Amino acid sequence: MDGSTIYVRDRGNLRRVSDIVLAQPKPGSSCRRVNPLVLRKKHFIFTYNSEGSLRYTTKSLFDITLLFVADNIHNVESLVGFPEQIGDKLFAAAEENHVFLNADIASKAIKLFSDAYGGMVLGSLCLRNRFPLLHERMDEIKSFQSLKSLDLFGCRLGDNHEIFLHLTTSSLASSLVELSIGGNSLSDAGLQRLTAPIRMMKKGFDCLKSLDISHNTITDRALRYLTCLHKLEKLDVSATGLMLGTTLKNTIRDLLGLIYSERPLDIFDHARCRTAGWAEQVINQWEMCGQQVNKLKKIDESRASARRFFGRQKFVRDVLNAAPVACTRAEEAKRDVLHFYRPAASAHPPDRQTPSSTSHHQALLSCQNLKKRQRLPENGDAPRQGPPKKPTLTAEDIDLLSNY
């Protein structure tokens, strides 16, 4: 503009001037806020000095960037490759901003952290007798794909719960070691449905070592559905339709390779079960929010129609009105504790959970004698070598397989 010609219209006449200096325009602010600190106060740390005066210092650029990413965590594609320290601070910032309370982005945000940091996000989850939390946050709980221990005791699952398919997915197959599904009104059909993908498609529960199916209405027929759990080492069948006796001991020993424990196993003690991981406080926040919601809140028409369509209205109503399964100490003392474990290969018991060495030695001898009798031919002739027998499927298995 310095060397340009300027024309001015004065009283209808146009004339050229050269001695007018134009003022430089003020730089336009991209922010429309009157007070620029209104929405940026979270970038400052406010303190008071000894005289009572307010003082503030700016946060570091790293902290400001961390808050920005936490607020927009739903736009992040992946955190794989970022250090664990960064992931921990980012998760804490997202938790502080109540990102995981937003049902629209909570599942995606949890899966984002789980894919990058695995069991550090949540390695153990205890939902014992907390069935409202399970049913209200089902999608978010499914996003924890690196759980090593999961306690669903008293969650009113029944025989056809949707979480059964999630438990046998490939995401949990390589991580889940301990599972408790006791007190859920499970029957033989429920265990058949739970283990169907393992028995038919050979996937799921690759690392499962401890299983609690106590306080369910199961019979000895359900034990054959557990033969697909090749790494199972400890089993709890207390307060079920199974009665302690020689027949039960021999059946479990022959089918699963487990022997009866004269002392209760510590692994089935609820005192040792807890929720551990970065998301421990997130689980507590979900439960607190659920308690604040009025149980008698009217369900909107769309959700009611959907539940009637899928035939789940009565099921959901029974779940919300049911009381948690809680056994008193007197009732537990009256019931027989049926704990079974796989004996160690060494002659010395590894811990105090193992019964006496005499019963251990007798069990090993009986197992060896049983294997020898199975190897001996019935007629004295050498057994014929033929093609391996394929596992036969019952009519119930075929009907169940057709549902997948």
Side-chain angles (χ1 to χ4, degrees):
M1 297 293 294
D2 295 339
S4 302
T5 303
I6 301 175
Y7 293 90
V8 177
R9 181 178 295 275
D10 185 17
R11 297 179 182 180
N13 297 323
L14 185 65
R15 61 187 180 89
R16 186 179 65 178
V17 296
S18 59
D19 54 348
I20 297 179
V21 179
L22 297 178
Q24 295 294 331
K26 296 181 179 180
S29 176
S30 60
C31 182
R32 299 181 181 180
R33 299 187 302 268
V34 178
N35 186 0
L37 295 180
V38 171
L39 297 181
R40 293 184 181 179
K41 60 183 180 181
K42 62 181 180 180
H43 297 166
F44 296 87
I45 302 175
F46 296 91
T47 57
Y48 290 91
N49 56 13
S50 58
E51 299 177 355
S53 301
L54 180 63
R55 302 183 61 182
Y56 64 90
T57 56
T58 59
K59 294 183 179 180
S60 63
L61 181 60
F62 172 78
D63 294 335
I64 296 176
T65 306
L66 200 68
L67 292 175
F68 177 79
V69 177
D71 292 337
N72 299 273
I73 194 66
H74 55 281
N75 295 323
V76 179
E77 294 183 357
S78 176
L79 293 174
V80 177
F82 285 85
E84 300 173 1
Q85 295 81 356
I86 302 297
D88 188 9
K89 293 182 179 180
L90 183 59
F91 190 92
E95 177 188 345
E96 184 178 358
N97 292 345
H98 303 287
V99 173
F100 302 109
L101 295 180
N102 188 349
D104 297 332
I105 62 176
S107 300
K108 181 180 179 181
I110 292 175
K111 189 177 185 302
L112 182 70
F113 284 97
S114 298
D115 293 342
Y117 304 105
M120 288 183 293
V121 178
L122 198 67
S124 176
L125 178 58
C126 180
L127 297 177
R128 177 170 291 238
N129 295 329
R130 301 160 75 180
F131 62 94
L133 176 61
L134 174 65
H135 293 278
E136 292 173 2
R137 297 288 179 173
M138 178 64 66
D139 295 336
E140 290 85 345
I141 291 176
K142 287 182 179 180
S143 301
F144 297 112
Q145 301 178 357
S146 300
L147 292 174
K148 294 183 179 180
S149 176
L150 179 60
D151 191 347
L152 298 176
F153 188 97
C155 287
R156 303 288 184 178
L157 300 182
D159 290 335
N160 300 300
H161 201 274
E162 58 181 317
I163 201 173
F164 286 169
L165 294 178
H166 174 67
L167 294 177
T168 54
T169 56
S170 58
S171 59
L172 285 177
S174 58
S175 62
L176 192 60
V177 178
E178 302 176 6
L179 176 63
S180 175
I181 51 176
N184 284 291
S185 301
L186 283 175
S187 63
D188 297 346
L191 284 181
Q192 180 187 14
R193 182 178 182 85
L194 176 63
T195 58
I198 312 171
R199 293 182 288 108
M200 300 178 184
M201 293 176 282
K202 307 299 180 183
K203 66 175 185 179
F205 291 155
D206 296 339
C207 302
L208 189 65
K209 296 182 179 180
S210 174
L211 179 62
D212 180 7
I213 53 176
S214 60
H215 299 86
N216 288 312
T217 57
I218 60 175
T219 63
D220 53 355
R221 178 188 175 188
L223 296 176
R224 62 188 180 94
Y225 298 133
L226 303 179
T227 55
C228 57
L229 306 178
H230 302 293
K231 294 187 178 181
L232 186 64
E233 297 180 357
K234 295 179 177 62
L235 178 66
D236 185 4
V237 291
S238 306
T240 59
L242 305 177
M243 301 299 295
L244 181 61
T246 305
T247 304
L248 178 62
K249 293 180 181 179
N250 294 336
T251 302
I252 295 182
R253 182 191 60 194
D254 297 339
L255 292 178
L256 306 177
L258 307 179
I259 62 176
Y260 174 70
S261 176
E262 298 179 356
R263 298 180 181 179
L265 301 179
D266 294 339
I267 195 172
F268 297 120
D269 186 7
H270 175 60
R272 61 179 299 276
C273 179
R274 62 187 183 91
T275 301
W278 296 349
E280 180 179 357
Q281 296 301 324
V282 175
I283 303 297
N284 296 333
Q285 290 179 2
W286 290 345
E287 189 171 18
M288 292 176 61
C289 292
Q291 292 176 355
Q292 295 175 358
V293 177
N294 189 1
K295 294 183 179 180
L296 300 179
K297 183 179 179 180
K298 184 178 180 180
I299 302 176
D300 55 80
E301 188 65 22
S302 60
R303 294 182 61 186
S305 301
R307 287 173 180 172
R308 284 195 298 268
F309 176 78
F310 290 102
R312 296 190 56 189
Q313 185 178 11
K314 182 177 182 301
F315 170 76
V316 174
R317 185 170 61 251
D318 293 342
V319 167
L320 294 178
N321 296 333
V325 176
C327 299
T328 60
R329 296 182 179 179
E331 293 176 348
E332 291 180 350
K334 295 179 181 179
R335 295 172 179 172
D336 294 333
V337 177
L338 301 180
H339 291 176
F340 293 84
Y341 74 102
R342 187 179 301 277
S346 59
H348 300 283
D351 50 19
R352 63 180 181 179
Q353 298 176 356
T354 309
S356 60
S357 58
T358 304
S359 60
H360 184 192
H361 182 66
Q362 293 177 356
L364 290 178
L365 290 179
S366 60
C367 292
Q368 294 176 359
N369 294 334
L370 179 62
K371 293 180 180 179
K372 290 181 180 179
R373 289 195 299 268
Q374 292 177 352
R375 287 197 298 264
L376 291 177
E378 296 180 357
N379 300 330
D381 300 334
R384 298 179 180 179
Q385 295 181 356
K389 296 182 179 180
K390 298 182 179 180
T392 58
L393 299 179
T394 62
E396 297 178 354
D397 292 340
I398 296 177
D399 295 339
L400 187 60
L401 182 61
S402 61
N403 296 331
Y404 283 87

